[in-house]
Structure formats: structure tokens, C-alpha cells
């Protein structure tokens, strides 16, 4: 295969309408390649279609049309192999309350046909820090422990690709760090990771490549570095000593006055050095009491891309 862990072509999902509303086109023809060995981020606002996409990969939701290939196996022609290649940590905490973590892993391994001698439940439990809880009932586990158990379950059949749907939504910092550590270690050992998140800093920190999805369409797909590189925009915010009579002017400067009297100057750092912005301020006869700059981050690309489509 051509180095892709996942290949998606023309993927469409329409949820049938019913008592609860009209039919919903959740995915409108998605094309996406995810390279082997990546930590790939799927970003998008609520309702964008992230979980739908992931649940189709996982075989939990049936696509309407299109083609999905996982680790070289077409999902329709080789359903068993494609399913065996992927492990999914779902967004919801759907655990059987009567199983202990060890039992839950054994059952999961059984479902995936993992031979007994190839099972390593204890090692997986240790990896997610649940070795002490191996024989506790799931209903006695805290939310964070349940989430770690879901991760453990996704790993029992040694998948090539691990998919995590909002793994750190609503978890505390300690658990987030632990999940990130686990994800990094699994990736170092060769696993391809796909995660959805609406925490942009998580995507910045963890992901080599990112697709931004909005209203069922991929609106951007690039390396994290290049997406951030697009962010050349800076903003300088100036508090004048006395109310400014005139606003600064200059090529490439976008100047507005805020209600509190502050002057807000947007500019492109690659085209206009900060010193030139300050010179324009002085040329307008403004003496500066306070100045600070703001830099765009992934949040801005994200808002820009999702807003442009909506408009
Ligand atoms: P995300 O994970 O990005 O928040 P989802 O994939 O969960 O988005 O949802 C995408 C769209 O599909 C939303 O409008 C959602 O309401 C709708 N949707 C999701 N699941 C169902 C379902 N089972 N039946 C009908 N509509 C659904
Ligand atoms: Mg979701």
C-alpha cells in the first residue's frame, strides 16, 4: 500500500429522518488520506461530523456511500481484516458495569478473535495505570479510570491504527497528561493515531497533521506546522496617553478604534515589521501609554476556515 493507514474516498453519510427531525447529511463527500505512522488530528466544531467519520471507520455506523480502506483493506470487500486493523476509543463511556477491567479486556479480545496466548491484558492494564483495579467492578471506577479502560479495550487486538474520539474532553490535567504520554508511546512504537479534539492546543501539541472538518466537509488538510505557518497575522493594541485625534495609516495596516479608546492595528508580520507599525503610530501624533501584541494561533485558522464556509 502507498503508505496510507487510511484512505477515504467520496464518503457520504445521511442519517435518516424520523420522529426527531429531518434527514441529516452528516458527511458530504469526504476525501482523506491518513499516512502510516502519523498522529493525525481531526478538528471541527460540534456537529461537524467527526464522530460520524470515526464511527464509520470503526464499523459502528454504516456509510451511505463512498469507499473506506483501512491498512490496505477495503471495508466492504475485506470487512474482517479492515476491522482487525483498527481500535477505537469511543467518545461515550459505554462500559458494562458488571465486568472487571480484566474481564472486559478478555471479552473484547474474544470478540476480536485474539488467541489466548497472544492476549496481554495485564500489560495493557499496567500501561494505562489500572493494574490495581484489574479485578474491581467497572461501576466502582471513577470517570477517569473508565476512560483509561476504554483506551485499554481499544488496544487488545494490537491494531495498526488507534482512533480516539475526544479522548481528553472533560478530563483533568493529570489524566490528560497520562493519555498524551500513552498516545506518544504507542505512536513511537509504530501505531498510527487518529484523534478528534476541539482543544486546539491539544492538536498543536500532539498532531503532525491536521484535517479541519466543518458541516460534513474537509475544509483544510495540512501539516500542523504549515497550518500554523499560515498564521502570519498579528495585532498590536495601543493605549494612547490622550485620546487620539487621528488614526495611524500605512500600507498593510488595518486600523480600528475600540470603544475604550484603544487603537487596534492588524498587520502581517512577514510584510510589516513591528517598528514600522510603531512609526505609523508616532507619525499620527499618538504617544503610547501601553502597547501589547497578539499573535494568531490555531484557533484563528480554525475560526477563519469554519466562518468562511458559514458565510
Ligand atoms: P461531531 O462529532 O463533529 O460533533 P457528529 O458526527 O456527532 O459530529 O454529528 C454530525 C451531525 O450528524 C450532527 O448534526 C448530528 O446531529 C447528526 N447526527 C449524529 N448522529 C446522528 C444520528 N444517530 N441520527 C441522526 N443524526 C445524527
Ligand atoms: Mg463527536
Amino acid at each position: 500500500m502507498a503508505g496510507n493507514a487510511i484512505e477515504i474516498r467520496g464518503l457520504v453519510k445521511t442519517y435518516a429522518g424520523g420522529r426527531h427531525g429531518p434527514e441529516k447529511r452528516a458527511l458530504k463527500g469526504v476525501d482523506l488520506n491518513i499516512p502510516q505512522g502519523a498522529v493525525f488530528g481531526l478538528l471541527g466544531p460540534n456537529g461537524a461530523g467527526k464522530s460520524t467519520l470515526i464511527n464509520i471507520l470503526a464499523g459502528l455506523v454504516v456509510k451511505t456511500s463512498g469507499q473506506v480502506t483501512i491498512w490496505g483493506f477495503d471495508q466492504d470487500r475485506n470487512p474482517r481484516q479492515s476491522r482487525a486493523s483498527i481500535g477505537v476509543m469511543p467518545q461515550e463511556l459505554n462500559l458494562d458495569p458488571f465486568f472487571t477491567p480484566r474481564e472486559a479486556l478478555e471479552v473484547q479480545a474474544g470478540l476480536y478473535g485474539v488467541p489466548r496466548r497472544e492476549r496481554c491484558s495485564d500489560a495493557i492494564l499496567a500501561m494505562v495505570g489500572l493494574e490495581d483495579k484489574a479485578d474491581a467492578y467497572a461501576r466502582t471506577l471513577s470517570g477517569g479510570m473508565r476512560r483509561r479502560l476504554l483506551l485499554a479495550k481499544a488496544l487488545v487486538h494490537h491494531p495498526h491504527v488507534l482512533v480516539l474520539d475526544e479522548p481528553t474532553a472533560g478530563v483533568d490535567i493529570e489524566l490528560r497528561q497520562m493519555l498524551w504520554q500513552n498516545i506518544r508511546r504507542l505512536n513511537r512504537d509504530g501505531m498510527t493515531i487518529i484523534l478528534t479534539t476541539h482543544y486546539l492546543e491539544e492538536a498543536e501539541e500532539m498532531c503532525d497533521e491536521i484535517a479541519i472538518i466543518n458541516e460534513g466537509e474537509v475544509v483544510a488538510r495540512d501539516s500542523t506546522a504549515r497550518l500554523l505557518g499560515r498564521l502570519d497575522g498579528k495585532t498590536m493594541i495601543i493605549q494612547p496617553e490622550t485620546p487620539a485625534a487621528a488614526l495611524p495609516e500605512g500600507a498593510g495596516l488595518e486600523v480600528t478604534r475600540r470603544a475604550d479608546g484603544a487603537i487596534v492595528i492588524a498587520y502581517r508580520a512577514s510584510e510589516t515589521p513591528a517598528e514600522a507599525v510603531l512609526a505609523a503610530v508616532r507619525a499620527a501624533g499618538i504617544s503610547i501609554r501601553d502597547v501589547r501584541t497578539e499573535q494568531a494561533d490555531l484557533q484563528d485558522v480554525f475560526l477563519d476556515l469554519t466562518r468562511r464556509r458559514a458565510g
Side-chain angles (χ1 to χ4, degrees), residues 13-17 20 22-27 43-55 61 91 165-166 196 213 216:
K13 175 62 190 182
T14 307
Y15 289 106
H20 301 295
E23 73 170 30
K24 173 77 199 173
R25 282 191 88 203
L27 296 175
L43 288 185
N46 254 335
K50 303 179 298 294
S51 291
T52 300
L53 178 62
I54 273 179
N55 289 335
V61 165
Q91 190 170 358
D165 197 357
E166 311 252 0
T196 76
I213 177 168

Coordinates of all heavy atoms in Angstrom, one line a residue, residues 13-17 20 22-27 43-55 61 91 165-166 196 213 216, ligand 1:
K13 N -22.5 10.3 4.5 CA -23.4 9.7 5.4 C -24.6 10.6 5.6 O -24.5 11.8 5.9 CB -22.7 9.6 6.8 CG -23.6 9.1 7.9 CD -24.1 7.7 7.6 CE -25.3 7.3 8.6 NZ -25.7 5.9 8.3
T14 N -25.7 10.0 5.3 CA -27.0 10.7 5.6 C -27.8 9.9 6.6 O -28.0 8.7 6.4 CB -27.8 10.7 4.2 OG1 -27.0 11.3 3.2 CG2 -29.1 11.6 4.4
Y15 N -28.0 10.5 7.7 CA -28.9 9.9 8.8 C -30.3 10.0 8.3 O -30.7 11.2 8.0 CB -28.7 10.5 10.1 CG -27.3 10.2 10.8 CD1 -26.3 11.2 10.8 CD2 -27.0 9.0 11.3 CE1 -25.1 11.0 11.4 CE2 -25.8 8.7 11.9 CZ -24.8 9.7 11.9 OH -23.6 9.5 12.5
A16 N -31.1 8.9 8.4 CA -32.5 9.0 8.0 C -33.2 9.9 9.0 O -32.9 10.0 10.2 CB -33.1 7.6 8.1
G17 N -34.2 10.6 8.5 CA -35.0 11.5 9.3 C -36.0 10.5 10.1 O -36.1 9.4 9.8
H20 N -37.5 12.5 15.3 CA -36.7 13.5 15.9 C -36.3 14.6 15.0 O -35.6 15.5 15.4 CB -35.5 12.9 16.6 CG -35.9 11.9 17.7 ND1 -36.6 12.3 18.8 CD2 -35.7 10.6 17.7 CE1 -36.9 11.2 19.5 NE2 -36.4 10.2 18.9
P22 N -35.7 16.0 10.5 CA -35.5 15.7 9.1 C -34.2 14.9 8.9 O -33.4 14.8 9.8 CB -35.4 17.1 8.4 CG -34.8 18.0 9.5 CD -35.3 17.4 10.8
E23 N -34.0 14.4 7.7 CA -32.8 13.6 7.5 C -31.6 14.6 7.5 O -31.7 15.8 7.3 CB -32.8 12.8 6.1 CG -32.7 13.7 4.9 CD -32.5 12.7 3.7 OE1 -33.0 11.6 3.7 OE2 -31.9 13.2 2.7
K24 N -30.4 14.0 7.8 CA -29.2 14.9 8.1 C -28.1 14.4 7.3 O -27.7 13.2 7.4 CB -28.9 14.8 9.6 CG -27.7 15.5 10.0 CD -27.8 17.0 10.1 CE -26.4 17.6 10.0 NZ -26.5 19.1 9.9
R25 N -27.5 15.2 6.4 CA -26.3 14.8 5.7 C -25.1 15.2 6.6 O -24.7 16.3 6.6 CB -26.2 15.6 4.4 CG -27.1 15.0 3.3 CD -26.8 15.6 2.0 NE -25.7 14.9 1.3 CZ -24.9 15.4 0.3 NH1 -25.0 16.7 0.0 NH2 -24.0 14.6 -0.3
A26 N -24.6 14.2 7.3 CA -23.5 14.5 8.3 C -22.2 14.5 7.6 O -21.3 15.2 8.1 CB -23.6 13.4 9.4
L27 N -22.0 13.8 6.5 CA -20.7 13.8 5.7 C -21.1 14.0 4.2 O -21.9 13.2 3.7 CB -19.9 12.5 5.9 CG -19.4 12.3 7.3 CD1 -18.7 10.9 7.4 CD2 -18.4 13.4 7.8
L43 N -10.1 17.9 13.5 CA -10.6 19.1 14.3 C -11.9 19.6 13.7 O -12.1 19.6 12.5 CB -9.7 20.2 14.2 CG -8.4 20.2 15.0 CD1 -7.7 21.5 14.9 CD2 -8.6 19.9 16.4
G44 N -12.8 20.1 14.5 CA -14.0 20.7 14.0 C -15.0 21.0 15.1 O -14.9 20.4 16.2
P45 N -15.9 21.9 14.8 CA -16.8 22.3 15.9 C -17.8 21.2 16.1 O -17.9 20.2 15.4 CB -17.5 23.5 15.3 CG -17.3 23.5 13.8 CD -16.0 22.7 13.6
N46 N -18.6 21.3 17.2 CA -19.6 20.4 17.5 C -20.6 20.2 16.3 O -21.0 21.1 15.7 CB -20.5 20.9 18.7 CG -20.1 20.1 19.9 OD1 -19.7 19.0 19.8 ND2 -20.3 20.7 21.1
G47 N -20.9 18.9 16.0 CA -21.8 18.6 14.9 C -21.2 18.6 13.5 O -21.8 18.5 12.5
A48 N -19.8 18.8 13.5 CA -19.1 18.8 12.2 C -19.2 17.5 11.5 O -19.1 17.5 10.2 CB -17.7 19.3 12.4
G49 N -19.2 16.4 12.2 CA -19.2 15.1 11.6 C -18.0 14.2 12.0 O -17.8 13.2 11.4
K50 N -17.3 14.7 13.0 CA -16.1 14.0 13.4 C -16.4 12.5 13.9 O -15.8 11.6 13.5 CB -15.4 14.7 14.5 CG -15.0 16.1 14.2 CD -14.2 16.8 15.3 CE -15.1 17.0 16.6 NZ -16.2 17.9 16.4
S51 N -17.4 12.5 14.8 CA -17.7 11.2 15.4 C -18.3 10.3 14.3 O -18.1 9.0 14.3 CB -18.7 11.3 16.6 OG -18.1 11.9 17.7
T52 N -19.1 10.8 13.4 CA -19.7 10.0 12.3 C -18.6 9.4 11.5 O -18.6 8.2 11.2 CB -20.6 10.9 11.4 OG1 -21.6 11.5 12.2 CG2 -21.2 10.2 10.3
L53 N -17.6 10.2 11.2 CA -16.5 9.7 10.4 C -15.7 8.6 11.1 O -15.5 7.5 10.6 CB -15.5 10.9 10.1 CG -14.2 10.5 9.3 CD1 -14.6 10.0 7.9 CD2 -13.4 11.8 9.1
I54 N -15.5 8.8 12.4 CA -14.7 7.8 13.2 C -15.5 6.6 13.4 O -15.0 5.5 13.3 CB -14.3 8.5 14.5 CG1 -13.0 9.2 14.3 CG2 -14.2 7.5 15.6 CD1 -12.5 9.9 15.4
N55 N -16.8 6.7 13.6 CA -17.7 5.6 13.8 C -17.8 4.8 12.6 O -18.0 3.5 12.6 CB -19.0 6.0 14.4 CG -18.9 6.5 15.9 OD1 -18.0 6.1 16.6 ND2 -19.8 7.3 16.3
V61 N -21.0 2.7 12.5 CA -22.0 3.4 11.7 C -21.8 3.0 10.2 O -20.7 2.9 9.8 CB -21.9 5.0 11.8 CG1 -22.7 5.7 10.8 CG2 -22.3 5.4 13.2
Q91 N -16.3 8.1 22.2 CA -16.5 9.3 22.9 C -17.3 9.1 24.2 O -17.0 9.7 25.2 CB -17.2 10.3 22.0 CG -17.3 11.7 22.6 CD -17.8 12.7 21.5 OE1 -18.1 12.4 20.4 NE2 -17.9 14.0 22.0
D165 N -11.8 9.3 20.0 CA -12.7 10.3 19.8 C -12.8 11.2 21.0 O -13.4 10.8 22.1 CB -14.1 9.7 19.5 CG -15.1 10.7 18.8 OD1 -14.7 11.9 18.7 OD2 -16.2 10.3 18.5
E166 N -12.3 12.4 21.0 CA -12.3 13.4 22.1 C -11.8 12.7 23.3 O -12.4 12.7 24.4 CB -13.7 13.9 22.3 CG -14.4 14.4 21.1 CD -14.5 15.9 21.0 OE1 -14.1 16.6 21.9 OE2 -15.1 16.3 20.0
T196 N -9.8 12.9 17.5 CA -10.6 14.1 17.3 C -10.5 14.9 18.6 O -10.3 14.4 19.7 CB -12.1 13.8 17.1 OG1 -12.7 13.5 18.3 CG2 -12.2 12.7 16.1
I213 N -12.6 19.8 9.8 CA -13.9 19.4 9.2 C -15.0 20.3 9.7 O -15.0 20.7 10.9 CB -14.1 17.9 9.5 CG1 -15.4 17.4 8.9 CG2 -14.0 17.5 10.9 CD1 -15.6 15.9 8.9
G216 N -19.6 18.6 7.7 CA -19.5 17.4 6.9 C -18.5 17.5 5.7 O -18.5 16.6 4.9
Ligands
LIG1 P1 -19.2 15.8 15.9 O1 -18.7 14.5 16.4 O2 -18.3 16.5 15.0 O3 -19.7 16.7 17.0 P2 -21.3 14.1 14.8 O4 -20.7 13.2 13.8 O5 -21.6 13.6 16.1 O6 -20.4 15.4 14.9 O7 -22.7 14.7 14.2 C1 -22.7 15.2 12.9 C2 -24.2 15.6 12.5 O8 -25.0 14.4 12.4 C3 -24.8 16.4 13.6 O9 -25.7 17.3 13.0 C4 -25.6 15.4 14.4 O10 -26.8 16.0 15.0 C5 -26.0 14.4 13.3 N1 -26.1 13.0 13.9 C6 -25.2 12.4 14.5 N2 -25.6 11.1 14.9 C7 -26.9 11.0 14.4 C8 -27.9 10.0 14.5 N3 -27.7 8.8 15.0 N4 -29.1 10.3 13.9 C9 -29.3 11.5 13.3 N5 -28.4 12.5 13.2 C10 -27.2 12.3 13.8

